[in-house]
Amino acid sequence: MHETLAALAAGDISVATAEARLAGYATGESGRFDAAREARSGLPEAVFAEGKEDEEVVELLDLALETTGRGLATRIDDETAAVVRAGVSEKWPEAETIHDERAGVLRAHTPEYEPPSLDAVVGVVTAGTVDGGPAGEAAVIAREMGATVERYDDVGVAGLHRLLDDLDGIRGADVLVVAAGREGALPTVLAGLVDIPVIALPIASGYGYGGEGEAALSGALQSCTALTTVNIDAGFVAGAQAGLIARVLDGAR
Amino acid sequence: MHETLAALAAGDISVATAEARLAGYATGESGRFDAAREARSGLPEAVFAEGKEDEEVVELLDLALETTGRGLATRIDDETAAVVRAGVSEKWPEAETIHDERAGVLRAHTPEYEPPSLDAVVGVVTAGTVDGGPAGEAAVIAREMGATVERYDDVGVAGLHRLLDDLDGIRGADVLVVAAGREGALPTVLAGLVDIPVIALPIASGYGYGGEGEAALSGALQSCTALTTVNIDAGFVAGAQAGLIARVLDGAR
Amino acid sequence: MHETLAALAAGDISVATAEARLAGYATGESGRFDAAREARSGLPEAVFAEGKEDEEVVELLDLALETTGRGLATRIDDETAAVVRAGVSEKWPEAETIHDERAGVLRAHTPEYEPPSLDAVVGVVTAGTVDGGPAGEAAVIAREMGATVERYDDVGVAGLHRLLDDLDGIRGADVLVVAAGREGALPTVLAGLVDIPVIALPIASGYGYGGEGEAALSGALQSCTALTTVNIDAGFVAGAQAGLIARVLDGAR
Amino acid sequence: MHETLAALAAGDISVATAEARLAGYATGESGRFDAAREARSGLPEAVFAEGKEDEEVVELLDLALETTGRGLATRIDDETAAVVRAGVSEKWPEAETIHDERAGVLRAHTPEYEPPSLDAVVGVVTAGTVDGGPAGEAAVIAREMGATVERYDDVGVAGLHRLLDDLDGIRGADVLVVAAGREGALPTVLAGLVDIPVIALPIASGYGYGGEGEAALSGALQSCTALTTVNIDAGFVAGAQAGLIARVLDGAR
Amino acid sequence: MHETLAALAAGDISVATAEARLAGYATGESGRFDAAREARSGLPEAVFAEGKEDEEVVELLDLALETTGRGLATRIDDETAAVVRAGVSEKWPEAETIHDERAGVLRAHTPEYEPPSLDAVVGVVTAGTVDGGPAGEAAVIAREMGATVERYDDVGVAGLHRLLDDLDGIRGADVLVVAAGREGALPTVLAGLVDIPVIALPIASGYGYGGEGEAALSGALQSCTALTTVNIDAGFVAGAQAGLIARVLDGAR
Amino acid sequence: MHETLAALAAGDISVATAEARLAGYATGESGRFDAAREARSGLPEAVFAEGKEDEEVVELLDLALETTGRGLATRIDDETAAVVRAGVSEKWPEAETIHDERAGVLRAHTPEYEPPSLDAVVGVVTAGTVDGGPAGEAAVIAREMGATVERYDDVGVAGLHRLLDDLDGIRGADVLVVAAGREGALPTVLAGLVDIPVIALPIASGYGYGGEGEAALSGALQSCTALTTVNIDAGFVAGAQAGLIARVLDGAR
Amino acid sequence: MHETLAALAAGDISVATAEARLAGYATGESGRFDAAREARSGLPEAVFAEGKEDEEVVELLDLALETTGRGLATRIDDETAAVVRAGVSEKWPEAETIHDERAGVLRAHTPEYEPPSLDAVVGVVTAGTVDGGPAGEAAVIAREMGATVERYDDVGVAGLHRLLDDLDGIRGADVLVVAAGREGALPTVLAGLVDIPVIALPIASGYGYGGEGEAALSGALQSCTALTTVNIDAGFVAGAQAGLIARVLDGAR
Amino acid sequence: MHETLAALAAGDISVATAEARLAGYATGESGRFDAAREARSGLPEAVFAEGKEDEEVVELLDLALETTGRGLATRIDDETAAVVRAGVSEKWPEAETIHDERAGVLRAHTPEYEPPSLDAVVGVVTAGTVDGGPAGEAAVIAREMGATVERYDDVGVAGLHRLLDDLDGIRGADVLVVAAGREGALPTVLAGLVDIPVIALPIASGYGYGGEGEAALSGALQSCTALTTVNIDAGFVAGAQAGLIARVLDGAR
C-alpha cells in the first residue's frame, strides 16, 4: 500500500489507478470499473455497451485504459463504435483502437500494454454465416486472454462432408467453442468426434417455435454427448471460459 | 342402401355393420366407432387405450372387428392388453390377436380379414434403445396399412460411424420415420444425407430443460434441412403419414 | 475428377464450379454454397435472405447461378429484392429473374438451366388471405422442384361451405400443404376428408395467448387426425417436403 | 332480521340457517359455506372435493343441506363419493343423494328442496368419449340451475359427417357448451354453423406439446369465429355460465 | 335461386350480390367475403384490418357494402382509417362512415341499411383508462348487432368504492363484458356481486412477468367465480358473444 | 473466543455448541447447521424436511437444539413428523415438541429456550380453506420470531361481504400476509383497503392454465396496488419477512 | 360533508376537490383520479405515463395538484416529460416541477403542499449501472412518502469486495430495496448478511434464456434466504412497499 | 484387423470384443454398446439406467466389461442396483462392483482393468445437502476418468462465511464443478472469486415458479461472471467435461 501511495504522491500514477490498486476497483461517473477482475478471476473486465450511453462507454474505457492499459467494449454497434472510438482516441491519442464489426467488439491498448500469451489453442467453429457474430466475439476474447485461436467456418451438419473435411484441423485444438443456431446439432455431432472439451454457443437464429436460439440451447443442454453450454449469443462467456481453460493449460506446460 | 338393408334383413350382417355402412360409423355404449375412416381418409381407425376402461376398449375393438374385420388398440399397457385380449378372444374365438409390448399396440384380425399390401418401403430409424416404443408403434401402423417396413436401430449421432454403416440400406426406403429423443439431432443429420421425405418422431426422453422430448421437437421444427414432424411420442401419426405416402406411391406404381 | 480438372484447365468451367463438383460446395466471401445439395438430398439450396447483407445475397446467388444455373432467395423483402435483382442482373444479364412479392421469393435462372419436371400434383390450401405469404413460398419451392401446384384459397372453417365447394378439386392432388393461422383447424378438418398426406403449415397470425402461430402449431401437433407439420411460417420446408414426396412419386410412375 | 331471530328462538331454524340468512354465510369447522351465493350471483355453491378431507366434504354438504336444502360436491372421485354419501345419509336419512360417476358430481337434496326450472335449453356437445367427464359436470350443473339439457356426443371433426347428422338438433338449443380435447377444433367448426352463443370447454387430453388441453384452450382463444371459453376441464364453470344465460332467458320469457 | 338470377338478369343486383346469395360468399381480389355469415352464425362479418393493405381493406368493405349494406373494419389505426374512409366514400358517396378511434373500428352503412334492434342490454365495464380500446370495440360490435350498450368506466378494484357506487346500474344489464388488464381482478369481483353472465375481456397492459395481459387472462380462467373469457384484447369476440346472448334474449321476449 | 473454549474445556458446552459459536455453524453427518443465522439475519434456521431422510431431519434438529435450544422442521408430512418427533424426544426427553399438521411444521424447544417476544401484530389472511397450509406455516414462523399473529380466514373475494365484515380487525395489524390461490385477487383487493404493508402468498391451487398457483403469483406481481410477493406456497418466507418487519418495528417501539 | 359543501359554495375549493373529498375520487376527461388513495392505503396516487397521451397525463396531474397538492407521473420518457412539464407549468405556474430522467419520474408540488416526513431509513442498493432506472424510481417514491433514502450502487456479486466495503452502511437502514438484473444474486447474498427486511427488485437486463429479468425474478422467488419481491422493473411498487414499512415504523417511534 | 481376427480365431478374445474393435461398437439384445467411445471422444460409455429393464442394464454392463474391462451405470436407484449388481457378479465373479447410493452410480471393474490416472484436480462444490446426488455423480465420473477429485460441501451463499472458510482449498483446484439448486447463486459468487474454469451444475430443488432447477439453470446462463453450465441434475455431463479438461491438462504436463 505504501508503494502505491508514494507513487500517487509522486504523481506517477493517477488517483484512479491508486484507487484501483488499493480498493480493487475504480469509480467514475458511469459506475465502478472492476480493475482487479483479471488478477482475481482471470477475466478481462469488458464494458457491455448495449444500453449504455456513448459517454458512459467512453468514460469506462478511459478508466480501463488508465488502470489496466487495455479497454474492451462488447456488443457495440457500428455507429456507437465510431463515436466511442473517437472519444477514446481524443483522450488516449497514442492508444491503438481496433473495431471488429462482425464481432461487435471495440478494443483499445496503450503502447505500454503487454498482452498475455498462452501456450494453448482454442478452436472456434461455426455452422453457418449467421453464427459469425457471437463466434467472432468469443474468438476476440480468447485472443485477448492470450490464447491462439483457429477458426473453422460454415461446417453445419446439413452437409456433413464439409465438417469431415475440416476434422483433422479441429482435432488439433485444446478446447472448442462451437457456435450453431436453428436446431444446433453441430456441437453434439462434433463432440462425438473429438476428445477435447466442447463449449456450445447457441445462436439466436431461426423463427417460430424454438426460434431465436431456444432450440439450439435446449439441444446443447440435452446433448447425448458431454458438453457444456453458455447462453444464447453469449460469445464473451464462451470465449472467456475457453480462455480460462487455456490459462490453466498454459500454467501446466 | 337397398343391398345393405337386404343383407341385414337376411341376417347376413349385424345391425352395427349395417349402421356402419349407411351412416359411416357404428354406435356402442363406449362411443361411436368411425368404421368408414379407412375408406374416407386412408387411416385405420384405432382405439386409443390410454385413459379408457378395459371394457370400453373391448367393446370398441368388438365394433371394429364386426364392421371392418380388424381391431387396433394403441398406447395399451401390458396389464390392460392381457385383459382386453382375453375379452376379445371370448367374443371372437377365431380371431388372431397380436400384442406388441414394446410398441404398446394390440391387434386383432378375423380370419376373413384381407390385409392391404402396398408396393412401398417405409424405413423406421431410431437413435437409441429408448426410442423403440413409439418407433415400434409407427412400424406396426405402417405395416397394417400395407407398407413394407425396414428397421434401423441405435444409429444415434454420438457415434456417427454406426449411422454411416447403415446408410446404404436406409437410402433404399421410399420414406423415413426417424425417432430420436434428447437433443434429437438424428433426423436433421439423416435428412442431409438422403433424398427422400423424412418424418421426425421426437421421443420423450431426457430430463431438465428441454427434456421430455421438447428439445427433440424444437430441433425438428428448427431443422436446417427440410423435414416434417409429428408430436412427441406420436408413433401412430408418424406411421400413418408414412403409410399415406406409401398408399399414394403404390397407386402410382 | 480428371474431367473436371481438364474442363477447368481449358477454361470451360470456373474455379467455383470445379470446387463445387469436387468438394461438394463452393466457397465465397459470404460463406460456402452447398451446390451439391440438390443431388444429395433432393432440395434446391436456397439463400435465406433475412439478416444477410444485400451484397451477401448477391454473391451467394452468383455462386448458385455459376454452379447450378439457378439461384433462389427466400424471405426476401421488396426493398432488398430490388437491390439484389439489380445486382444479379448486372452479373448475369441474360438470366431471368422473377420476384414473387407475396411469397417473398426471388428466383433467377440462366438460359441454360433445365428445370425439373415431376409427374405429381401438390395442392396448396389456405384458410385466409393472411396465410398467402408462406403458402406462396411453399408453392414456389414445390414448383421449382418440378411438381405441378394447384392453389385453393380462403377456405377456412368459419364458413365450412367454402371448403366443401372446393373439396373435389382438392382430392385430386397427391399431397397437400394446408396453411392456417389463428386456431389452425383447417388442416385437421381437411385431413379428415381426404386420403392423401397432409402437411400442416401453421401461420403466425393471431394475437394474445396462442398468437403468432402457436395455437395453430399446437393444433397441428395435437390433431385428432394424422398429419405432419412444419414450423410456423416455414413455407420453404412445407413446399420442399411436398416436393420430395412428388419426387418419390415421380420415380414410381 | 326480526323474523329470522324469532324463528331461531322458536327452534324452527338452526343456528347455521339463522347465520346464513343474516350474515350471508354459515361457519363450520371446515370453513364458511356461502349459503347466499345463489341468491346473490345465481350460482349454486358447490363443494370442490379435490384436496379436501372426507369429513370436510361431509360437513360442508351438511351445512349446505341445512341452509339451502341442497348439497353439491364436484370433482369427487368414486371412493370419496361412497364415504361422503354414507356420511351425508347418516345425518340426512331422508335426503336423496345421487352420484354421477363420469361427471364426478355428488348431489343431495332434502325432500323439501324445490328445484328451479328454467324455460331454456342448454346443448352439451362432445367431440369424443374422453370429453365426457367435464361435459357431464357442465350438464349436471346446468340442470341443477333449472335448464333443460340436451347431449350430443362423439361428433368430433375427424369425421365431419357425424356432426352434420346432429346439426339440426344442436341448432335447437339456446346456448351450447362444446367440449373437445386434443386440437379442440369442434367449438370453432360448430360456432361457424350456428347462431347461438358457444362456450368452449377445452379438455385435458392429448400428450406432448400442447397436450393436457393447452392446444384446445389456445384454439378456443384464437378461434376465427366468436366464442368464449372456460379453463381446461372446467365443466362447472361452463355449465354455470350456460345456466346463467338460461336464467336471463327464462326471465325474458 | 330463380329469383336471384332473375334480379341479376334484370340488373337489380350486382354479380357480387348474386354470388353472395347463391354461394354464401363473394369473391374479390383480396379474398372472399363471407356475406352470409350474419344469417348463418348471427355475427356481422368484419374486416380485420391489421396486416392488410389499405386497398385490400377498401375492396373488402366495398364487397361488404354491396352484399350486406354494411361494412365493418376492426383493429384499424388512425392513418389507415383515414385512407380507407376516403376510398370507401369515393365508391359509396352516399354511405355514412364512422370512425371510432379509441375502439379502432371503422363502420360504413348505406342509406338503405336497416340496423338490427334487440331488446337487451349489454353492460361494458372497464377497470381503467387503458382498457378503453378493446372495451370500445366490444361496445361497437354489440351495438351493431342491435343491443343497447351501457358503459361503466374506471371502476378497478384498487379503489373498491368506485365499483360499489356503480353497482346498481351494472346490475340492470342482461350480460356484462368486463375489461381489465394487469392482475385482472375486476371480472372476478364483479361476477361475485351480480347474477348475470360475465364475459371477461383481459387487456394487454402491465409489464414483466404476467404482463401484456397474461396475468389477466389466467386470472379470468382461474376465477373462483363462474365466468367465461375471450383472448387478450379480443374486444370483437367479447362484444359478439354478448350480442349473440342479446339475440337469443330478444327472441325470447 | 477464550470464553467459549474455556466453557468447552469445562464441559459446560458441547463441541457442536463451541463450533457453532466460533465458526458460525455446526457440522454433522447430514450437513452443516447454520446456528448463527438468527443472530446474523434475524431468521430462525429451519430444516426443510421435504426430500430429506428421517434420520437426517432428526440429526439436524438435534444440532439445532444443542446449539440454539430450538429446532424447526418445515414442510414435514404427518408420517415423517411422527418418526422424527420420537427420535427427537429420545435424545431430548425434556424438550417440548409441537406438530402443527396443517402447517406442516414440527417445533421443539428445550426447557431453557427463551422465546423472543416482539411488540408487533402480523395479520394472516386466507381466501379459502385450501390456503390454510402455507398460511399456517407463515403464522407459525412469525410467532416463533416473536410476533403476535392474528388469523382471518375464508374471506375470498367471491363473497365480498365476508371480507368487509372482518376489515376492521384486519386494519389493526402492522403487516399482513394474504394467502390466496386460483386467480389470487384477495391480496390486491385487500391492499386497496388498508394502509399497511401486504405480502402476498400465492397458493398452489387451481387446475388448467394458470393453475398450481401461477395465476395467483402473476396476479400478485401485476397487482394494480402496491404489494410484494413470495413464491407459490412459500409460507416460511412470507412469515419470516413479516417477522423481520415486526423485529424492526419492535426495535422502534 | 357539510363543511365541504360550504367550502364549495363559498368558492374556497373547486368542484374537483369537493368531489374528491365526498366520493373519494375526481373525474376528468382522461379518467378518474383516486385522490383518496393516500389516505386510504398510504400510497400516493401516481399517473402511469406509458401508453397515455400527453394531454391525458397533463390533465391527470392537474387533477392531482388540485385535489392533493402533488402530482407524480412515472415511467415517463424525456420527450413526454418536457411536454407535460410545460403543460403543468402553464396551469400551475407557481408549482415546482422536478424531472428525474434516470428514474423516469416527473413530480410537481404546489407551494402549499406539505411533504410527509417519516423517521425511517430505506436503503436502495444496485448491482450495476443498468439497475439505476427502476432503483431510482423506487428511491423517488419512498422519498415522496417521507422516508430517508440512502443509495449504495454498483455492488454486484461478481466483485464481492465492493459489497463488503459498503456493508456497514447498508446495515444501518430499516428496510432495503435491492435491484439486480442478469442472474440477480445480489438480493440473496445481501439478505444473508443483514437482519432487516429485503425487497428484491429484479431488473430487465440480460439476453437469451432467462433474460429480460426472468432469471432475476425467479432467483428472488427461489432465494434460499427470506425476502419478498416485486415484478421486473417495478420500481414504484418496491419503493411504495418500503415506504409503507417506513410509515408503520414511523408510527411506532 | 488381422491381429484382431487372429485373436478371435485363437479364442483369445470374444466375438463382442472383436466386433467392438473392428466396428467400434458391440451389439447385444438390448442395443449397441459404444465400446470405442472412450478412445474416440475421451468419455467412458455409461449405461443410463433410468427407464431400462434390469436385464437390459445387466446385459449392457456385461458387454462393457467384456469389451473395455469396466462397466458404469448411472441414475440407478437402490433397488435396481442390487438386482443388477447380483446379475453382474454372477457373470463376472472376479469383478469388483461398487455402488455409490447417493450418486446413483454402479461401477464394475475386472481385475485386469487399469484405471486411467490424470495429473489434475477437479473441485466439486455443493451449496447444500440436497445437491449431493448429482454432485456425487460428477465426482465419480471425473474420478473414473482419472482426475483427483476434492469435495467442498454445504457452502451456500445464505451463510457466506462458510464459503470464505473453504476458499483457499477451492482455489487449489484446476477446474470446478459447482452444484446449487434454488436460486443457484453459488456458481456466480464463486466464479467471481477464483481464476479457474467453473462449470455450473444446477440442481432440481425448489418449488413454485422457477422451481425444479429452472431458476438455478437460468441463473447460470445469465451469470454476470463467465462460466458454462450443464443441464439440471446433469452430474454425468459436468463430471465428464471436467474430466476432459483434466485430460487436456494432463497431456500438457
Side-chain angles (χ1 to χ4, degrees), chain A residues 31-142:
Chain A
R32 304 189 192 176
F33 181 78
D34 191 352
R37 192 181 193 184
E38 192 149 16
R40 192 180 66 247
S41 69
L43 299 174
E45 176 77 343
V47 180
F48 191 90
E50 221 170 78
K52 290 210 177 66
E53 303 290 324
D54 290 357
E55 314 86 76
E56 292 177 327
V57 179
V58 171
E59 193 201 349
L60 288 166
L61 288 180
D62 182 41
L63 272 176
L65 284 162
E66 190 167 337
T67 53
T68 69
R70 174 176 59 186
L72 296 176
T74 60
R75 293 177 84 91
I76 192 165
D77 59 44
D78 291 4
E79 203 173 340
T80 305
V83 175
V84 167
R85 207 173 181 174
V88 167
S89 294
E90 197 176 335
K91 296 193 180 181
W92 298 85
E94 80 284 19
E96 179 195 37
T97 61
I98 307 161
H99 176 212
D100 186 325
E101 298 186 12
R102 197 74 205 270
V105 180
L106 181 69
R107 290 175 287 160
H109 306 94
T110 61
E112 296 77 23
Y113 178 72
E114 289 176 29
S117 174
L118 303 174
D119 181 14
V121 177
V122 173
V124 175
V125 186
T126 62
T129 311
V130 74
D131 311 322
E137 189 183 2
V140 168
I141 297 304

Side-chain angles (χ1 to χ4, degrees), chain B residues 23-25 30-32 34 40 48 56 75 217 231-234, chain D residues 102 129 153-155 158-159 161-162 165-166 182 207-210:
Chain B
Y25 47 82
S30 307
R32 302 189 194 178
D34 191 351
R40 192 181 67 247
F48 191 90
E56 290 177 330
R75 291 176 83 92
L217 173 61
N231 209 340
I232 299 162
D233 280 354
Chain D
R102 197 73 205 270
T129 311
D153 290 318
D154 250 346
V155 297
H161 50 304
R162 296 180 299 188
D165 284 2
D166 281 347
R182 305 296 299 264
Y207 52 93
Y209 181 69

Side-chain angles (χ1 to χ4, degrees), chain E residues 170-238:
Chain E
I170 291 172
R171 280 180 171 145
D174 292 305
V175 54
L176 296 178
V177 171
V178 184
R182 305 294 301 264
E183 89 293 334
L186 183 59
T188 285
V189 170
L190 198 40
L193 296 169
V194 301
D195 65 346
I196 48 176
V198 169
I199 298 167
L201 171 51
I203 300 298
S205 63
Y207 52 93
Y209 181 69
E212 295 302 311
E214 276 190 41
L217 173 62
S218 62
L221 289 167
Q222 287 292 341
S223 177
C224 56
T225 59
L227 47 78
T228 57
T229 191
V230 298
N231 209 340
I232 299 162
D233 280 353
F236 176 87
V237 181

Side-chain angles (χ1 to χ4, degrees), chain E residues 28-110:
Chain E
E29 286 287 308
S30 307
R32 303 187 194 180
F33 181 79
D34 191 350
R37 192 181 193 185
E38 191 149 17
R40 193 181 67 246
S41 68
L43 300 174
E45 176 77 343
V47 179
F48 191 90
E50 219 169 78
K52 290 209 178 67
E53 303 290 323
D54 291 356
E55 314 87 75
E56 290 177 329
V57 179
V58 171
E59 195 201 349
L60 288 166
L61 287 180
D62 182 40
L63 271 175
L65 284 163
E66 190 166 339
T67 53
T68 70
R70 174 177 59 186
L72 296 175
T74 60
R75 291 176 86 90
I76 193 166
D77 58 44
D78 291 4
E79 203 174 343
T80 306
V83 176
V84 168
R85 207 171 182 177
V88 167
S89 294
E90 196 176 337
K91 296 194 180 179
W92 299 85
E94 80 284 19
E96 180 195 37
T97 61
I98 306 160
H99 176 212
D100 186 325
E101 297 184 15
R102 196 76 205 270
V105 180
L106 181 70
R107 292 175 285 160
H109 305 95
T110 59

